[in-house]
Amino acid sequence: MMNKLIYTLALGLLIASCQNKKSEHGEHEHHQPEKAPTEQSDNSKKSIPQEAHGNVSNAHVSINYHSPAVRGRVIWGGLVPYDEVWVTGAHSATSMEFSEAIEVEGTTIPKGKYAFFTIPGQERWTLILNKNWEQHLADNYDQAEDVIRIEVTPETEMPLTERLTYTIEDKGEGSGAIRMSWEKLSISLPFKTD
């Protein structure tokens, strides 16, 4: 009886893990990012590779990024300058992949993979999806490859987020948002699905 229970549990775990694996037919695969240290023990000076995944209606969103830490530094207007294109993470461009077409402020963004850049400002930020998703920092950034640019007002005076973090929010009825939070600031890229 116990062997049957263990077998059933193992089979269930195997099936669940296989549902997230990439097939030969173009579905994506989830990788296990390096675990971020807990905030109490986070002494790492490295920017840790991270992933965020979420569904909004029929669209699956995957984000790959490097997560730097505050570590007592001045972030906005310091480590991250104002009015310059920023990779919105560290090292490689932050990439966002959409399994279905989405709509951002009336513009249709075809399904696919994009780089996410921002231009932080003291009052307003510019959020950018760019066709060239595979690049180092913003070294090869070309505005001509932008798919969309929108302006947003950041939320400030938020609780401290030590490491840069992305989340995908399902707001219901086909509406969602991609949120980036770091230090005491948060920005949101709203979108809709079919």
Side-chain angles (χ1 to χ4, degrees):
M1 182 70 171
M2 186 63 131
N3 285 344
K4 187 175 180 180
L5 177 63
I6 292 171
Y7 174 77
T8 304
L9 284 173
L11 184 60
L13 289 171
L14 180 62
I15 291 169
S17 70
C18 288
Q19 289 176 341
N20 288 331
K21 295 288 182 189
K22 184 172 186 173
S23 75
E24 295 173 1
H25 305 292
E27 295 173 2
H28 73 276
E29 179 178 349
H30 294 234
H31 300 281
Q32 290 299 327
E34 183 177 328
K35 282 241 184 255
T38 61
E39 289 195 16
Q40 290 180 335
S41 67
D42 191 352
N43 298 326
S44 175
K45 293 184 178 182
K46 294 192 308 180
S47 293
I48 298 170
Q50 291 291 333
E51 294 182 6
H53 299 274
N55 293 307
V56 174
S57 189
N58 61 337
H60 183 80
V61 181
S62 300
I63 305 171
N64 287 285
Y65 63 102
H66 283 81
S67 174
V70 174
R71 295 189 293 117
R73 300 177 289 181
V74 174
I75 302 301
W76 313 118
L79 182 66
V80 177
Y82 289 125
D83 305 319
E84 292 183 18
V85 175
W86 177 43
V87 73
T88 324
H91 307 306
S92 302
T94 294
S95 69
M96 295 184 175
E97 187 168 10
F98 306 102
S99 68
E100 303 290 335
I102 62 165
E103 183 183 300
V104 177
E105 290 194 350
T107 299
T108 298
I109 310 296
K111 74 176 185 177
K113 199 167 188 178
Y114 302 90
F116 180 64
F117 294 104
T118 56
I119 302 174
Q122 290 180 298
E123 302 295 326
R124 303 274 289 164
W125 282 44
T126 301
L127 311 186
I128 303 164
L129 288 177
N130 183 277
K131 291 178 189 173
N132 184 7
W133 63 269
E134 195 170 21
Q135 52 184 300
H136 179 260
L137 296 174
D139 297 347
N140 297 318
Y141 170 76
D142 181 355
Q143 185 173 342
E145 294 187 288
D146 289 353
V147 177
I148 195 165
R149 282 179 163 228
I150 66 168
E151 283 200 5
V152 300
T153 301
E155 297 175 51
T156 56
E157 303 307 317
M158 305 287 287
L160 176 68
T161 302
E162 176 64 25
R163 283 201 173 270
L164 184 145
T165 304
Y166 282 91
T167 53
I168 294 105
E169 302 172 345
D170 185 345
K171 302 203 178 262
E173 298 182 358
S175 292
I178 295 168
R179 181 172 296 278
M180 186 282 298
S181 303
W182 193 26
E183 198 248 7
K184 294 185 176 182
L185 181 143
S186 183
I187 56 166
S188 182
L189 175 69
F191 67 92
K192 292 181 180 177
T193 64
D194 289 333

